[in-house]
């Protein structure tokens, strides 16, 4: 239960944080790279403080990990946490937010829906985690939701100009027939 509550708090923090980030990008006073740089710079001091607390006060970190971690562990941390999640994911998300049509109400669910779907599938295929029917159904629902959001943006959703034109034509045909 604690893990789920922590995940909920993380999601709330990301949701509020990205709304503020989108507001900064919408100001036109900063771009996605400036925002990414500020994020990285601001993250380091509290991360270092939390690391010190975890290591020395709570003793929840291995004490000699810097010397004892294998090259494979270092590569996974640097590429996975640092480059992929810490830089590339944030960079592409902020770049999307800065573009015309980069509505947070569209991009956030897509980006943050792809993350758990990818994690479930790679956990199963790469890490050998168990794939259950509920996990498979959840991934299918996520992908379906992303497709629906994408259709709205590409002009195929019910609220799109293309759909409005189709509805208008349909109504005109019904009036002509009736």
């Amino acid at each position: 239960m604690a893990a789920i509550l922590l995940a909920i708090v993380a999601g709330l923090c990301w949701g509020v944080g990205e709304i503020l980030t989108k507001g900064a990008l919408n100001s036109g006073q900063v771009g996605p790279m400036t925002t990414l740089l500020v994020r990285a710079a601001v993250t380091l001091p509290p991360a270092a403080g939390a690391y010190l607390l975890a290591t020395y006060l709570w003793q929840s970190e291995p004490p000699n990990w810097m010397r004892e971690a294998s090259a494979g562990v270092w590569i996974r941390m640097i590429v996975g946490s640092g480059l992929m999640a810490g830089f590339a994911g944030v960079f592409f998300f902020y770049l999307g937010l800065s573009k015309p049509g980069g509505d947070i109400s569209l991009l956030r669910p897509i980006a943050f829906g792809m993350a758990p779907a990818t994690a479930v599938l790679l956990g199963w295929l790469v890490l050998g985690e168990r794939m259950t029917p509920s996990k498979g159904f959840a991934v299918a629902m996520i992908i379906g939701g992303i497709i629906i959001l994408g259709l709205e943006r590409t002009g195929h959703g019910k609220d799109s100009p293309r759909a409005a034109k189709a509805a208008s034509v349909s109504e005109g045909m019904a009036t002509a027939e009736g």
Side-chain angles (χ1 to χ4, degrees), residues 70-88:
S70 68
V73 167
W74 275 101
I75 290 170
R76 287 191 293 273
M77 283 193 306
I78 290 167
V79 173
S81 184
L83 295 176
M84 294 297 291
F87 175 76

Side-chain angles (χ1 to χ4, degrees), residues 4 23 25 30 53 64-65 72 76 78 107 116 127 129-130 165 177:
I4 290 172
L25 289 168
V30 296
L53 284 174
N64 299 316
W65 69 269
R76 287 191 293 273
I78 290 167
L107 300 185
L127 300 177
E129 293 181 357
R130 189 168 162 245
K165 183 177 178 182
E177 292 175 1

Side-chain angles (χ1 to χ4, degrees), residues 17-39:
E18 299 308 345
I19 292 294
L20 295 171
T21 300
K22 177 64 175 169
L25 289 168
N26 281 350
S27 75
Q29 298 173 26
V30 296
M33 286 307 301
T34 300
T35 307
L36 177 61
L37 182 63
V38 168
R39 176 185 176 137

Side-chain angles (χ1 to χ4, degrees), residues 5-177:
L5 290 175
L6 290 170
I8 290 169
V9 171
L12 291 170
C13 289
W14 283 324
V16 170
E18 299 308 345
I19 292 294
L20 295 171
T21 300
K22 177 64 175 169
L25 289 168
N26 281 350
S27 75
Q29 298 173 26
V30 296
M33 286 307 301
T34 300
T35 307
L36 177 61
L37 182 63
V38 168
R39 176 185 176 137
V42 169
T43 300
L44 189 56
Y51 171 78
L52 292 173
L53 284 174
T55 302
Y56 298 107
L57 184 61
W58 303 320
Q59 298 180 350
S60 62
E61 293 290 313
N64 299 316
W65 69 269
M66 284 190 197
R67 285 188 304 248
E68 296 175 4
S70 68
V73 167
W74 275 101
I75 290 170
R76 287 191 293 273
M77 283 193 306
I78 290 167
V79 173
S81 184
L83 295 176
M84 294 297 291
F87 175 76
V90 175
F91 170 73
F92 289 115
F93 182 67
Y94 287 178
L95 189 60
L97 287 178
S98 72
K99 299 295 181 187
D103 298 346
I104 196 162
S105 59
L106 175 69
L107 300 185
R108 175 100 174 143
I110 291 173
F112 285 77
M114 284 303 299
T118 302
V120 169
L121 293 173
L122 290 179
W124 173 51
L125 295 170
V126 175
L127 300 177
E129 293 181 357
R130 189 168 162 245
M131 176 58 78
T132 64
S134 61
K135 286 181 186 178
F137 181 70
V139 168
M141 296 288 289
I142 290 168
I143 300 298
I146 289 169
I147 290 169
I148 290 167
L149 285 170
L151 288 175
E152 177 180 313
R153 178 57 65 200
T154 60
H156 293 90
K158 71 177 184 78
D159 295 329
S160 71
R162 196 178 284 173
K165 183 177 178 182
S168 173
V169 169
S170 182
E171 287 173 13
M173 290 175 64
T175 305
E177 292 175 1

